[in-house]
Amino acid sequence: MKRRTTEALAADASARDVDAYLRAQERKDLLRILTCGSVDDGKSTLIGRLLYDSQLILEDQLAALEDDSRRVGTVKGGTDFALLVDGLQAEREQGITIDVAYRYFATARRKFIVADAPGHEQYTRNMASGASHADLAVLLVDARAGVVTQTRRHSYIVSLLGIRDVLLAVNKMDLVDYDQAVFERVATDYDSFCRQLGIDSVTSIPVSALKGDNVVARSDSMAWYRGPALLPYLESVEIRREADASPFRMPVQWVNRSGPDFRGYCGTIAGGVLRPGDEVVVLPVNRTGRVRRIVTYEGELERAVAGQAIALEFEEQLDVSRGDLLAAADSPAEVTDQFQARLIWMSDHDLMPERQYLLKIGCHTVAAAVTELKYRVNVNTLEHVAAKTLSLNEVGVCNLALDRPIAYDPYAQNHTTGGFLLIDRFSNETVGAGMIDFGLRRATNLTWQDIDLDKVARAGLKGQRPCVLWFTGLSGSGKSTLANLVERKLHAMGRHTYLLDGDNVRHGLNKDLGFTEPDRVENIRRVAETARLFVDAGMIVVASFISPFRSERLMARELMEEGEFVEIFVDAPLTVCEQRDAKGLYAKARQGAIKNFTGIDSPYEPPDDAEIHILNDRSPPEEGADRVVAFLKERGYV
């Protein structure tokens, strides 16, 4: 047998060393850190200094940093460590962090993922996104300014998102001559605020990110400080992860049919431990099954824990779909279609109570509306403030109603199964992030009562199919004129109709509503619910409303059954509408005497695909009315 060469033996030894190194890295604990604070408090500089002093920057990165510091740096004659983190051109030009920047690094004791959050109030929503995945928050405060509004705002969001361990880094100590009294005053003020938030673990460290004091090693400039430097603290701190101790939870992401005999339900475990033989309940459908196998890419497991991506095979044939929640049968999640939640608003467009949004929780998406905004939170004083809406970066407590039940846990028990996003139905913009407090169980007892005489029987007696003729368009477009003509023609044909007019309903049903955007949303919601009752009575409902927002018209359509909602877009240019305005409303709106007037200082969103589109500046009203009646005859309504 040939002897192996020295080179081959060395290669084997090198491969074993690599394998040993990789196994050691896998066994290291991972700490996810959020850095946050106000503008110019030094978050990016602190991370850059941490990477630099820990010798975790490659030579080419260091050369690029030195070059960037000369060209766009903010540190005169020195290295601008913030450039290691601020990667967007706009960030470098403005000297601020805009988006959340993620950096990975590892020391001999631990692996880290750092999310550097923007400090400017305008980008608070980005900060909330970064906080949603963090185990610990490093909150920076400028020693000269102390605790400011944005410090409180970020701390409140940290507490909302369930982070219970906070490191307060009192930065720029070099600019206050490393004064112990300054540090202690800031730390005391912050501790007092955190106690009100329920953050029970705060560690304060005085640092100078620019100079490197107390970042990697204790600084001689602050001999009075006896605690750890920042990096040793991060390497040793024990983090509480509620998901590890919670009951088993797994949102189903995908049903895998990779073979004729395999049906695997795939997802990432959001809580607890699972073993073959465990009994699992499928929610919200409430079916139970027993786990046969736990399958991964590497092979089968005898034990799976939170954070692992797996596929489950059951002993039974179960009907499980994407979006369902698998939970421990002896400790299931709750199911509801209404709940109270804390909501962070992330859109430039204000929250509209009763407007239909999409709610995404885990892999499940349902339609949802804020039915009651209980209060807005003043992040400075934590005072509960009465409010009708939420604006960008504001936080409130509200009730939400869904179009179908979901499975959930309170956010305090499980962040994954208790956290949700609100999404605009048309733009797909994420407009809010919420945390469920508790379900409103009374809602699940309410069901639509079937009555012996249904709308088919009522409509049959009248010789018609019930529907809603929804006329929409600008004020002055001719909606009401057309609606009246259509009703008169149907009445002459012996049909049973009722006309809901925008002005008339505001004399009674909606007399408590104004013309702000939230009031317009509620106005249409009430009208749509009223129209639904008339349709159930077998009537043809003629509704004439500006109804400027697509979302509310879609909500009205979805209240009806297929084919019961006929949208009629009465289209006329704004100049024509103004010429027809006998009441002079447009002129008053342009003078500022009338606020929130559609077409002037409040938008009108034209229909994308109306059943009937009438260009009402090009043809007489009689012709438009005849088109509507002809449509009804062709489709078998009359």
Side-chain angles (χ1 to χ4, degrees):
M1 185 171 65
K2 292 184 178 180
R3 285 186 159 184
R4 302 188 68 190
T5 63
T6 303
E7 290 82 359
L9 292 172
D12 285 348
S14 176
R16 286 195 297 272
D17 289 343
V18 171
D19 288 341
Y21 173 79
L22 292 175
R23 284 194 297 272
Q25 292 299 311
E26 287 178 354
R27 287 193 292 269
K28 283 183 183 178
D29 184 28
L30 172 66
L31 179 65
R32 295 166 297 188
I33 304 168
L34 171 78
T35 58
C36 53
S38 191
V39 177
D40 292 333
D41 280 352
K43 299 177 297 301
S44 300
T45 301
L46 179 67
I47 298 172
R49 169 62 79 173
L50 185 64
L51 296 173
Y52 181 84
D53 286 357
S54 301
Q55 299 181 348
L56 298 170
I57 303 175
L58 301 177
E59 288 185 5
D60 60 336
Q61 291 176 312
L62 183 59
L65 174 63
E66 291 172 349
D67 180 60
D68 288 343
S69 296
R70 285 191 296 270
R71 290 187 301 104
V72 295
T74 59
V75 179
K76 191 173 182 180
T79 303
D80 188 350
F81 296 106
L83 297 178
L84 285 169
V85 182
D86 290 339
L88 298 177
Q89 181 177 354
E91 294 178 325
R92 295 185 171 207
E93 290 173 351
Q94 300 178 47
I96 63 172
T97 300
I98 295 174
D99 202 357
V100 179
Y102 292 92
R103 290 294 179 270
Y104 169 87
F105 70 97
T107 66
R109 299 184 62 181
R110 189 172 247 172
K111 295 180 291 186
F112 302 90
I113 295 177
V114 181
D116 181 31
H120 197 284
E121 179 181 352
Q122 180 181 351
Y123 306 110
T124 299
R125 53 188 166 185
N126 297 12
M127 175 266 170
S129 173
S132 64
H133 302 289
D135 302 312
L136 176 143
V138 177
L139 195 140
L140 273 77
V141 172
D142 187 327
R144 299 167 299 174
V147 177
V148 297
T149 297
Q150 196 67 339
T151 310
R152 297 186 181 93
R153 185 185 304 275
H154 281 190
S155 299
Y156 183 75
I157 292 175
V158 160
S159 71
L160 273 184
L161 293 170
I163 300 175
R164 291 291 174 261
D165 296 277
V166 175
L167 168 59
L168 178 70
V170 183
N171 192 26
K172 303 187 181 182
M173 289 297 296
D174 55 307
L175 300 182
V176 294
D177 298 326
Y178 302 104
D179 190 331
Q180 180 180 359
V182 172
F183 166 72
E184 291 179 346
R185 182 173 63 250
V186 174
T188 300
D189 288 347
Y190 187 71
D191 280 343
S192 176
F193 184 71
C194 280
R195 280 195 294 272
Q196 300 176 60
L197 296 176
I199 298 176
D200 53 13
S201 177
V202 179
T203 300
S204 300
I205 300 177
V207 300
S208 170
L210 184 63
K211 303 291 185 182
D213 296 301
N214 281 346
V215 175
V216 171
R218 291 261 300 273
S219 170
D220 294 336
S221 300
M222 291 176 279
W224 46 265
Y225 173 69
R226 302 297 182 185
L230 187 138
L231 182 59
Y233 171 82
L234 295 177
E235 288 182 315
S236 60
V237 63
E238 292 187 11
I239 300 300
R240 298 165 287 178
R241 293 190 173 106
E242 288 83 357
D244 296 338
S246 64
F248 170 71
R249 301 286 188 265
M250 190 185 87
V252 177
Q253 295 174 297
W254 177 46
V255 180
N256 182 353
R257 296 297 305 274
S258 57
D261 300 321
F262 180 77
R263 183 191 293 266
Y265 304 104
C266 306
T268 300
I269 299 178
V273 177
L274 187 70
R275 297 175 177 84
D278 286 352
E279 192 174 25
V280 170
V281 61
V282 184
L283 298 172
V285 294
N286 200 30
R287 300 187 186 97
T288 57
R290 195 168 298 277
V291 178
R292 173 183 292 165
R293 292 194 300 158
I294 303 173
V295 183
T296 68
Y297 181 79
E298 289 80 15
E300 294 186 25
L301 300 178
E302 291 303 314
R303 180 176 181 271
V305 299
Q308 286 186 291
I310 61 171
L312 296 183
E313 187 178 20
F314 290 109
E315 294 178 359
E316 302 84 357
Q317 291 292 325
L318 295 179
D319 183 11
V320 182
S321 304
R322 171 180 166 83
D324 288 342
L325 180 67
L326 305 181
D330 59 356
S331 185
E334 299 182 52
V335 175
T336 188
D337 62 356
Q338 290 196 28
F339 54 80
Q340 177 182 297
R342 292 160 292 159
L343 186 64
I344 305 171
W345 197 248
M346 296 175 155
S347 174
D348 293 318
H349 196 83
D350 289 356
L351 164 70
M352 296 292 109
E354 298 295 351
R355 169 166 287 179
Q356 291 280 316
Y357 298 97
L358 295 179
L359 182 144
K360 184 174 178 61
I361 180 168
C363 303
H364 199 183
T365 302
V366 298
V370 173
T371 55
E372 179 186 4
L373 179 57
K374 293 189 166 184
Y375 55 83
R376 178 173 55 82
V377 179
N378 183 321
V379 297
N380 286 315
T381 63
L382 303 184
E383 176 188 5
H384 297 173
V385 181
K388 289 188 175 182
T389 187
L390 292 177
S391 299
L392 176 64
N393 298 326
E394 291 185 336
V395 179
V397 172
C398 57
N399 290 344
L400 289 97
L402 317 180
D403 69 340
R404 72 198 74 155
I406 60 165
Y408 76 98
D409 292 294
Y411 186 82
Q413 296 178 16
N414 190 304
H415 293 180
T416 300
T417 56
F420 63 88
L421 298 175
L422 283 185
I423 301 167
D424 184 271
R425 303 177 79 184
F426 292 95
S427 68
N428 289 322
E429 173 195 8
T430 297
V431 295
M435 289 116 318
I436 299 174
D437 290 330
F438 51 81
L440 304 173
R441 291 182 178 83
R442 64 181 180 274
T444 59
N445 298 324
L446 298 176
T447 57
W448 182 268
Q449 294 298 312
D450 291 325
I451 301 172
D452 291 341
L453 285 176
D454 60 11
K455 60 187 169 188
V456 175
R458 297 187 187 104
L461 189 64
K462 301 173 176 63
Q464 60 191 40
R465 276 177 57 198
C467 65
V468 178
L469 304 178
W470 192 281
F471 290 80
T472 177
L474 290 169
S475 176
S477 62
K479 299 181 304 302
S480 295
T481 300
L482 274 172
N484 273 292
L485 278 172
V486 168
E487 189 184 31
R488 284 168 53 191
K489 288 177 179 292
L490 292 174
H491 181 74
M493 295 166 60
R495 305 309 177 195
H496 293 248
T497 64
Y498 191 80
L499 192 150
L500 294 171
D501 181 77
D503 286 346
N504 291 353
V505 297
R506 284 186 177 272
H507 279 83
L509 178 66
N510 293 344
K511 68 179 180 181
D512 60 318
L513 299 177
F515 291 89
T516 64
E517 194 166 341
D519 282 348
R520 288 178 183 273
V521 171
E522 174 62 9
N523 179 54
I524 297 304
R525 187 194 71 82
R526 294 183 191 178
V527 168
E529 291 286 359
T530 303
R532 180 189 185 189
L533 294 174
F534 275 107
V535 167
D536 193 58
M539 306 281 282
I540 295 176
V541 184
V542 183
S544 174
F545 294 86
I546 295 174
S547 47
F549 306 120
R550 295 189 187 99
S551 180
E552 279 59 65
R553 297 196 299 267
L554 178 60
M555 175 273 298
R557 180 185 293 272
E558 291 179 343
L559 283 176
M560 315 300 167
E561 294 184 11
E562 184 70 27
E564 289 182 347
F565 189 91
V566 179
E567 187 173 36
I568 304 165
F569 178 26
V570 184
D571 189 1
L574 180 61
T575 53
V576 173
C577 294
E578 291 194 61
Q579 292 169 6
R580 294 173 175 172
D581 183 18
K583 298 178 183 178
L585 299 179
Y586 279 103
K588 292 178 181 178
R590 291 197 179 278
Q591 294 166 6
I594 300 177
K595 300 295 184 183
N596 304 305
F597 194 83
T598 303
I600 303 300
D601 57 351
S602 184
Y604 177 79
E605 299 170 356
D608 292 322
D609 193 21
E611 280 78 5
I612 303 174
H613 185 181
I614 297 175
L615 298 172
N616 208 31
D617 62 322
R618 303 181 185 177
S619 59
E622 191 77 25
E623 184 178 316
D626 287 340
R627 277 189 59 195
V628 175
V629 174
F631 176 92
L632 296 177
K633 290 179 178 178
E634 290 167 7
R635 304 299 173 93
Y637 292 97
V638 297

